[in-house]
Amino acid sequence: MRLSLVLVWLGAAAACGPGRGFNPRQQARRSYPLVFRQHEPNYSEINKSASGPAEGRITRHDEKFKDLVPNYNPDIDFKDDEGTGADRLMTQRCKEKLNTLAISVMNQWPGVHLRVNEGWDEENSHGENSLHYEGRAVDITTSDRDTSKIGMLARLAYQAGFDWVYYRSRSYIHCSVKTESSVGTGAGCFPSGAVVHTETGPKDIAALRKGDRVLAADDDGKMIYSEVLTFIDRDPNVTREYIEITAENGVAITTTASHLLLLASAEGWRESFAASVDVGDVLLTRGRGSVMRPSRVVHTRVLTKQGVYAPMTKAGTIIVDDALASCYALVKSHSLAHAAMAPLRWMATWSGSNDLPRGVHWYANALYSFSEFVLPTSYKYP
């Protein structure tokens, strides 16, 4: 019964499309404003249970500068006093949370936009260990500068997934996020160079396009070709931490820690986050005909690779690097995630556009953020 209710909530959360469809006000029990000088959670910003300690200032000449991404969301106003575009630069995680918050602001106050007063700082205008120097913090208000909205804006920011929110000033709030490497970021992905199998032969996942048919598995665990409908996450330029899982038959799948893999079990398959796969677990790997072949895991390791790709197939599964995976992440139930993503599959089918999204798809981002409040802890990525 509880899971049925969760599905109803998840479906309702994003049933109406971008911008005005995802409505945080449905969470009435959580929608009280923060008070002046309150912060959520009730730890210091640098606590590991909040955004975590500073890792070092990023300048335009640093190697890490390439990890900062610009935010050109038209529903967000950027102050940009410096005229350099610095306030638009931030980590991918910060961008995702900010874009989710922008949707909430438009729902809460029609006609009002989110406004960013300060983003990445390259002018040393903050304290020594400020997360602004790493692109992990933003100071925000609303486009109408209505100070009576600041407390509720702080609450909406926390609901949108910021890891630390501080009602710091009567005129703005301060928000920050954890580092990319400390969390299962994005929607769960595969790197450039991961191999999928199309009807015409093997293909780099980076070269996949909407409409391609790739090897996957049906509900009975039989290999089939399934159409790629869209991408839940796609960005060729970012670098991310991955887990490589190697089986005794030589198959090695590389994916993010929060991605769901489908392992062999007596019932056919069971779900496991990649980070939870241990030596001795059994991957389902590409075999002959329509039959998958189980192979025991013998080694795992963490590595860094370029690019993130999370194709969504009609079947909801995909065989990558010859191992079976779900198309989903962050929620430890393939069937639940597949049901919750049904509206996205319908939208992708109806859309005549072949344009590929960049970054986490808005629907998935809103859905994952909403699930933080309604899913039992046992179903969430740690």
Side-chain angles (χ1 to χ4, degrees):
M1 178 63 178
R2 191 177 188 184
L3 287 182
S4 298
L5 287 173
V6 169
L7 280 173
V8 171
W9 289 332
L10 291 178
C16 299
R20 284 106 186 129
F22 173 58
N23 190 347
R25 287 177 293 176
Q26 294 172 353
Q27 305 166 44
R29 62 189 176 88
R30 293 182 178 266
S31 292
Y32 49 89
L34 269 66
V35 299
F36 183 52
R37 295 295 185 182
Q38 181 183 357
H39 53 75
E40 291 284 356
N42 192 26
Y43 303 101
S44 70
E45 183 177 26
I46 62 172
N47 190 288
K48 288 184 178 180
S49 297
S51 293
E55 293 191 346
R57 185 179 308 236
I58 296 175
T59 70
R60 291 184 185 268
H61 305 293
D62 289 338
E63 177 68 18
K64 285 187 174 183
F65 180 71
K66 71 178 188 306
D67 294 332
L68 300 183
V69 294
N71 191 328
Y72 295 115
N73 189 331
D75 294 324
I76 303 175
D77 296 343
F78 290 87
K79 188 177 181 182
D80 194 21
D81 277 342
E82 302 84 0
T84 62
D87 290 338
R88 293 183 180 271
L89 293 174
M90 56 198 68
T91 64
Q92 180 66 32
R93 181 174 177 81
C94 188
K95 179 180 178 179
E96 290 165 3
K97 305 311 178 186
L98 201 65
N99 288 346
T100 299
L101 177 57
I103 296 172
S104 301
V105 167
M106 291 189 295
N107 279 313
Q108 186 74 26
W109 302 292
V112 175
H113 282 187
L114 178 64
R115 176 180 168 84
V116 174
N117 290 339
E118 187 80 31
W120 174 61
D121 180 15
E122 59 178 337
E123 297 190 337
N124 302 322
S125 59
H126 292 83
E128 182 179 356
N129 293 316
S130 171
L131 300 187
H132 281 284
Y133 298 131
E134 301 176 32
R136 291 166 52 199
V138 288
D139 295 337
I140 59 175
T141 183
T142 55
S143 59
D144 59 359
R145 281 47 150 223
D146 182 352
T147 58
S148 69
K149 293 184 172 75
I150 300 301
M152 182 56 74
L153 178 64
R155 174 58 59 191
L156 294 178
Y158 188 60
Q159 290 178 347
F162 278 97
D163 296 304
W164 198 71
V165 176
Y166 182 28
Y167 189 168
R168 186 172 191 167
S169 162
R170 297 289 187 184
S171 59
Y172 72 88
I173 65 168
H174 173 86
C175 310
S176 59
V177 297
K178 297 177 185 289
T179 60
E180 305 293 291
S181 61
S182 67
V183 293
T185 56
C189 316
F190 307 98
S192 299
V195 176
V196 295
H197 293 270
T198 69
E199 292 174 306
T200 57
K203 196 171 192 176
D204 188 325
I205 200 167
L208 272 184
R209 294 294 180 266
K210 180 179 177 179
D212 287 346
R213 287 168 55 82
V214 296
L215 204 58
D218 63 17
D219 291 340
D220 296 322
K222 294 182 179 179
M223 291 190 296
I224 58 170
Y225 284 99
S226 185
E227 181 183 357
V228 174
L229 300 177
T230 187
F231 281 75
I232 297 174
D233 195 353
R234 183 180 181 276
D235 195 332
N237 297 324
V238 302
T239 300
R240 191 161 290 175
E241 190 173 272
Y242 288 92
I243 296 176
E244 182 187 73
I245 300 167
T246 304
E248 60 188 352
N249 64 356
V251 167
I253 184 170
T254 302
T255 186
T256 46
S258 61
H259 204 93
L260 271 187
L261 297 183
L262 301 174
L263 306 178
S265 74
E267 293 75 32
W269 72 43
R270 66 178 180 86
E271 303 101 329
S272 175
F273 293 122
S276 301
V277 173
D278 292 322
V279 171
D281 287 336
V282 181
L283 294 180
L284 286 169
T285 66
R286 186 170 66 99
R288 295 181 178 275
S290 63
V291 179
M292 304 209 68
R293 182 166 53 131
S295 186
R296 197 169 301 278
V297 173
V298 295
H299 181 67
T300 67
R301 64 170 178 155
V302 176
L303 66 167
T304 300
K305 287 202 168 188
Q306 182 82 15
V308 293
Y309 300 90
M312 184 177 71
T313 66
K314 195 171 185 178
T317 60
I318 188 168
I319 293 175
V320 179
D321 295 331
D322 284 343
L324 181 63
S326 170
C327 290
Y328 312 118
L330 298 175
V331 177
K332 195 180 178 181
S333 170
H334 171 75
S335 59
L336 180 61
H338 192 58
M341 287 290 188
L344 178 54
R345 293 196 300 279
W346 298 332
M347 286 185 286
T349 300
W350 295 336
S351 172
S353 172
N354 288 319
D355 292 341
L356 295 175
R358 180 74 172 269
V360 180
H361 194 287
W362 68 263
Y363 177 92
N365 196 36
L367 194 62
Y368 287 139
S369 295
F370 188 82
S371 70
E372 282 295 307
F373 299 100
V374 298
L375 278 179
T377 302
S378 59
Y379 279 82
K380 298 177 186 176
Y381 180 71

